[in-house]
Amino acid sequence: MPKVTIDGIVVEVAAGSTILQAAEQAGIEIPRFCYHERLSIAGNCRMCLVEVEKTPPKPIASCGYPVADGMVVHTDSPMVRKGRRGVMEFLLINHPLDCPICDQGGECDLQDQAMGFGADHSRYDENKRAVPDKNLGPLVKTSMNRCIHCTRCIRFITEVAGVPDLGATARGEHMEVGTYVEKALGSELSGNIIDLCPVGALTSKPYAFVARPWELQKVDSIDVLDAVGTNIRIDARGTEVLRILPRINEDVNEEWLGDKSRFALDGLKRRRLDRPWVRENGKLRAATWDQAFDAIATKLKGLSGDRIGAIAGDLVDAESVLALKDLLASLGSTNVDCRQDGARLDASRRDFYCFNTSIAGIEEADAILIVGSNPRKEAPVLNARIRKAWAASGLPVAVIGSETDLTYPVLHLGTGPSVLTDLHSGSNAFATILANAKKPMIIVGQGALARPDGTAILAAAWRLAAHVGALSFDWHGFNILHTAAGRVGALDLGFVPGPNGKGVDAMLDGGLDLLWLLGADGFDSARIAAGTFVVYQGHHGDAGAQRADVILPGAAYTEKSGTYVNTEGRAQRGFKAVYPPGEAREDWTILRAFSAIIGKTLPYDTIEALRARMEQINPVFGRVGFMPRFGCSDHTGPAGDPSVLSDAPLVSTVPNYYATDPISRASPTMAACIEAQSQPALAAE
C-alpha cells in the first residue's frame, strides 16, 4: 500500500486511491462539486485542485489523480488558493446569485465553498446566460440558470437508479442538462438528485418556498412506507412535517431514499382521524373517548374469546402490536394475525420470514433468483443495491414472475411457480448457474406467498435453496422480501393465530362478533362478514375506517416513538417529530387505557416497561440498530408440500408504487405521480 504525504501528514492508502480519497483518510478537507463517493468520477468542476511535488508546475484535480508511493501533496499552497479562486470565479460568472429566493439557501455547497475558498470580487461585467427551466415531473423543481454542470444528477440517474433519463446536450457555455424530450423522470429514486445537487438547480417541488432549514426541528426516525427500514430525518415546524430526508446507514439504505417515502408526507395532514367516532343507526357520529370505549366494552360483555379477533396492519409499530396481543390474550382470544394480505408466511422459525442474507450482503452474492417479486416497486432502495452488485461484478439475476424492467439485465425464467421444480431437477439452465455459485441468493416476494399455494411455494423455494448450496454455516441465501414495515416485528412478537385461533381469512369470513383492526387497510373491507362489530384504530380514514362501528384515532409514524423491524430482521427505532392532531393518541396508550376500562389492565404504564416486555418475548428487540448475520445450521424446511404448485402466474402485490398505504393514498403529490406515470410526457408540460 502506497504512503502519501499530504500537508505534512503521512497516510497509507489502498492502491488505486485518488489524492482526494487519501486526503479524506487523513482528515483534510478538499472542496469539490462534481465528485461524490458513490458515483463515477467526472472530474469536470475542477474545484478540488491540489499541488503535487515533482510534477509539472500546475494545479491538479485531486478527484481523478491516483496516488503513488512517496507522493507529496499540498492542498493549501498559494498556487492552489489562486487556482480555486479562479475556478470559483468562473462558476459564479453565470450563476444568478439569487440566494434569497433559492430553496437551497442555508444548505448550499456553492455558498459554503464560495465563502471558504472563493474571492470577494468578480471581474466579469458581461450579461449572464439564461437557460430555460426543465419540467421533470411533479417531484423535482428545476432552476437551470443555477446549474454548474457537475453532472451528479446525470450520473446518479444512470448509474444508481438505472433509468438513464437525464443527459447533457451541447457544449461549453451552451451545455444544458435535461431529458432530451421533456418528460417526467421515470425512477422511483429520482428525489435523491435533490440531495446530490450542490447548488439550487434541483430542489423539491412540493417543498418550494415553504421553509428555511434553520426554522425546522430535526428528528431521526425510520421510514415505514416499505419494509427496507430506511433511516430518515423528519424536519418539522410547529405541528407540521415539512420535509423527510435520508440518513446515512451503510447496512440498510446507504444514503438513498425512495420517492414515496420522501414525498408522501403531505398525506400526513389529509383524511386524518382526529377524534373518536361511533356508528349509530347506520351513521357515524363524533364521540368522546369515554363514549367510544363504552360502546366497545358493551359489545364485549358476555363474548367468549373465540368470538373476538384482531388484525394488525402494515404500518404498525411493535409496541402497539404487543399491547393489542396482550389485550386479546386477557380476553381469552388467540384470533390474531398480522398477514392481512393472506401471505402464507411460516412464523415457526425466524429465518423462514426474514431477508437472512441482509441488505448489505446482496453485494456478496454471485447469483440471484427472484421469485414473485418486483423489487423496483416493492423496495426501490434494495433494488438499487442489487443493481450496484450487478454493476460491480455482472452477477446473473433471474426472475420467476411478471416480465418487467428492474433497471438491470435479468433472465426471465417463466411466470409460474413450477419453474422452481424445474430448477430443483436441473432441467433449467439457470440451475447450473445457481449450483456453481459460491453464494447464491433466492429472494421470495409477497406475490409468491399471498396466494392459495403460497405455503407450497415457500417450501419449494427453501428446498431449492438447500439444493443449490445457499444454506451453509457461513451463508444464508434464503430471503423473504416484505412490503409491510410492521410485519416482521409482529411476527417476532407472535402476532399469529394461536392454538385453535383463526387467521385473517377465517376472521373475515365470519365466526366473530368483534373484530379489532389496528391500522389494517390492506384488504377489501367488504369481505368482513355482516353483523361483525368492527373497531378500527388508525390514523387515516381509509378502507378500514369506512366499515368501522367505532373509530379510535391513532398516531402516524411521525407522531410517536416506535420500534420497527425491517425485512432483514433489524430492529430500529423512530422518534416523535410532531404531536398527533386533535384528540388522536399513540396507539399503545389507547389500548392501555381501554384495558383499564374493562378491568383487564395491561401490566405496563410507560413505553420503557412495554419495551422491556418486548425484549422478554424476543431478544431481538434488545438489539436496536444491530443485526448479527447467521448462517443456516438447520436445513429443515417450512411446512408445506413443495410439489403442490398451481399454474397461476406470479404477480407482484404492488401494482402501483405510489399508492400502497393510507398515507400515500391520501397524498396529492402521489396522485400527481400516478398521473405522471400514466402520461410521462404530458405530465411534464
Side-chain angles (χ1 to χ4, degrees), residues 11-34:
V11 58
E12 189 173 7
V13 298
S17 298
T18 64
I19 295 175
L20 193 150
Q21 291 170 330
E24 285 187 339
Q25 189 170 325
I28 297 170
E29 179 187 6
I30 295 180
R32 82 292 299 266
F33 289 116
C34 68

Side-chain angles (χ1 to χ4, degrees), residues 249-314:
N249 187 322
E250 299 293 346
D251 293 331
V252 181
N253 58 290
E254 297 181 300
E255 60 184 85
W256 314 130
L257 179 63
D259 286 348
K260 177 177 58 178
S261 304
R262 181 189 297 264
F263 293 107
L265 55 90
D266 55 350
L268 290 167
K269 57 184 179 181
R270 290 170 172 83
R271 299 177 62 185
R272 290 301 303 270
L273 301 173
D274 60 358
R275 68 185 69 179
W277 296 80
V278 176
R279 191 178 297 275
E280 290 183 355
N281 301 321
K283 294 185 177 180
L284 288 169
R285 68 165 180 85
T288 65
W289 278 104
D290 288 338
Q291 291 170 336
F293 283 166
D294 288 343
I296 303 171
T298 301
K299 185 64 180 179
L300 280 173
K301 283 183 180 177
L303 288 185
S304 60
D306 63 336
R307 308 293 297 179
I308 306 167
I311 301 174
D314 292 346

Side-chain angles (χ1 to χ4, degrees), residues 332-345:
S333 174
T334 58
N335 303 324
V336 296
D337 206 342
C338 62
R339 302 162 294 186
Q340 62 170 339
D341 57 358
R344 270 61 174 180
L345 290 160

